[in-house]
Amino acid sequence: MSSYAIVVRAFDGEAPYLQSFIDYHRRLGVEAFYPVLAPGAAPLCRDIFAKNQIRFHESEGQRIGSVQDLIREDYVAVIDADEYLHPDLFRFLDEESVESLLMPWRLTASLDDDFFESAQKKFFVFPQVKSIVQTSALKRLRLHASNTSGSGRCLGIAQGQQFPVQHYYLRGLDDLLLKEGGVVRRTLAQSSGRKQVNLNADADADSLDFPSRHARVAFLLNVLETRPEQLDPYSMTLDRSMLDYLRNSVHGDPDAAKQALRDSVARIQRVYRKRTIHREIRATQQLLASDPHKVSYQKRVLKLLRRDFEFRQSWLGLFENARDSLLMNRGRL
């Protein structure tokens, strides 16, 4: 039987969900965790790791390469605390001689704060990848696809689709609040997705300003509206006392902040055209069938958003907007 390790970056916004992440992967068979924290940051996560007898490691910028030489297990994966390895993955690796395996994201998200623990969810598989690699062949540990230098079998997304990484992309508005509300000291992990985006068609048009994470969430929510609900095979738990503690750390009114976040995401959702969403679902399915190495989720989402924003500023787009508004008022859309 092989041994397995996980490298994970963590920050205190993940604290209400972190114990669930640890418990699940221990049940799966993970023998060692290598958390990478920013120096002096994430005191809540430090307490959780200490309670679970997991040693954490400090690195400026949370560089995961800082723990590469410490790993002694047979296989290692780099995942975030909102990502979960497939329950059949380790059995497959035990039975097969594999040097590396690329696994696509199986995304799910909601603005509903009760969503994380709910049994039913909607899912969308996208060819942004995570990898699990044989430590003896590891050349460079990376966030998505680690490099190896051996001569073994390196399996791509075609095989990895059997073992997608379940990515709880947004676990509710509380989750977004902890990521955006200045609750904890900013680290590399916390600031990811906060790149400011500004959409302007011309000087007289309305602008749309938002963190890039909002666009990624808005796109996914629109896609998930078209997906059927399925049973979530992963049993999730949320530390609500920890969540309440962090909510109380938010400057100002948390509920007002959450409503502002909801409005921001909803405004972006309205920019995406329905035909764009349906076309992108088909294009993603074709991409997965072609066994790509990796596709950048953020770049793709922002490209589609800019294209739809420009269209909606055109005369044809203004006509379409007026038609959609009329149909919506009549209750037909």
Side-chain angles (χ1 to χ4, degrees), residues 6 28 62 65-66 78 92 96 120 127 134 172 198 204 210 218 227 242 246-247 250 261 273 278 281 288 302 322:
I6 283 176
L28 192 64
Q62 293 181 286
S66 63
V78 180
F92 170 77
E96 301 287 336
Q120 297 286 330
Q134 206 166 41
N198 178 276
D204 298 324
F210 52 88
R227 305 287 85 190
M242 184 79 71
L246 285 172
R247 276 172 50 92
V250 175
L261 291 170
R273 303 170 67 203
H278 289 288
I281 291 171
L288 288 167
L302 289 176

Side-chain angles (χ1 to χ4, degrees), residues 131-151:
S131 67
I132 187 163
V133 301
Q134 206 166 41
T135 309
S136 60
L138 179 61
K139 183 177 180 180
R140 184 187 176 194
L141 205 60
R142 303 183 67 180
L143 289 175
H144 289 281
S146 295
N147 300 121
T148 58
S149 57
S151 57

Side-chain angles (χ1 to χ4, degrees), residues 230-247:
Q230 302 177 44
L231 181 66
D232 186 355
Y234 301 70
S235 179
M236 303 293 98
T237 57
L238 168 64
D239 187 336
R240 295 192 178 276
S241 63
M242 184 79 71
L243 178 61
D244 290 340
Y245 173 81
L246 285 172
R247 276 172 50 92

Side-chain angles (χ1 to χ4, degrees), residues 33 38-39 44 47 66 71 99 101 105 150 158 164 171 174 215 225 233 237-238 242 250 293 309 315 330:
F33 295 83
L44 299 178
D47 289 344
S66 63
I71 301 165
E99 181 176 299
L101 175 67
W105 275 349
R171 294 165 287 204
D174 275 325
E225 285 179 359
T237 57
L238 168 64
M242 184 79 71
V250 175
H293 181 69
F309 183 80
W315 69 267
R330 290 178 176 177

Side-chain angles (χ1 to χ4, degrees), residues 1-241:
M1 295 287 288
S2 300
S3 56
Y4 297 90
I6 283 176
V7 176
V8 57
R9 298 183 304 173
F11 65 101
D12 271 355
E14 301 280 7
Y17 313 95
L18 186 56
Q19 188 62 55
S20 179
F21 172 86
I22 294 169
D23 290 343
Y24 170 80
H25 285 100
R26 278 185 165 165
R27 290 194 301 270
L28 192 64
V30 171
E31 296 185 13
F33 295 83
Y34 296 88
V36 181
L37 309 179
L44 299 178
C45 290
R46 289 167 188 256
D47 289 344
I48 294 170
F49 288 129
K51 183 181 72 173
N52 286 275
Q53 298 181 318
I54 296 172
R55 180 187 173 193
F56 57 82
H57 308 271
E58 291 189 331
S59 171
E60 194 66 46
Q62 293 181 286
R63 293 187 299 271
I64 59 172
S66 63
V67 300
Q68 179 169 327
D69 293 338
L70 302 176
I71 301 165
R72 297 292 178 265
E73 291 68 35
D74 296 318
Y75 283 91
V76 60
V78 180
I79 57 176
D80 294 329
D82 57 2
E83 297 173 335
Y84 288 67
L85 297 176
H86 193 278
D88 295 328
L89 173 63
F90 293 172
R91 184 169 65 238
F92 170 77
L93 294 174
D94 283 338
E95 294 172 352
E96 301 287 336
S97 178
V98 174
E99 181 176 299
S100 67
L101 175 67
L102 293 181
M103 305 165 290
W105 275 349
R106 187 176 187 240
L107 296 157
T108 186
S110 175
L111 297 178
D112 182 355
D113 288 329
D114 293 327
F115 152 83
F116 186 58
E117 296 178 300
S118 65
Q120 297 286 330
K121 296 181 177 70
K122 298 181 178 183
F123 301 98
F124 175 59
V125 177
F126 188 86
Q128 177 96 327
V129 301
K130 288 300 177 89
S131 67
I132 187 163
V133 301
Q134 206 166 41
T135 309
S136 60
L138 179 61
K139 183 177 180 180
R140 184 187 176 194
L141 205 60
R142 303 183 67 180
L143 289 175
H144 289 281
S146 295
N147 300 121
T148 58
S149 57
S151 57
R153 296 170 63 203
C154 296
L155 304 182
I157 288 181
Q159 292 83 5
Q161 284 185 70
Q162 302 173 64
F163 313 101
V165 173
Q166 186 126 315
H167 191 169
Y168 293 88
Y169 204 77
L170 185 67
R171 294 165 287 204
L173 270 178
D174 275 325
D175 187 19
L176 192 57
L177 177 68
L178 299 188
K179 292 173 178 174
E180 302 286 344
V183 174
V184 291
R185 171 182 163 186
R186 182 179 298 187
T187 64
L188 176 63
Q190 186 187 3
S191 62
S192 175
R194 294 176 63 99
K195 176 183 177 183
Q196 200 66 21
V197 178
N198 178 276
L199 298 181
N200 278 302
D202 55 56
D204 298 324
D206 291 336
S207 65
L208 194 60
D209 300 276
F210 52 88
S212 57
R213 180 185 289 116
H214 291 198
R216 291 164 10 206
V217 168
F219 171 82
L220 180 56
L221 292 175
N222 282 1
V223 168
L224 293 175
E225 285 179 359
T226 72
R227 305 287 85 190
E229 281 198 341
Q230 302 177 44
L231 181 66
D232 186 355
Y234 301 70
S235 179
M236 303 293 98
T237 57
L238 168 64
D239 187 336
R240 295 192 178 276
S241 63

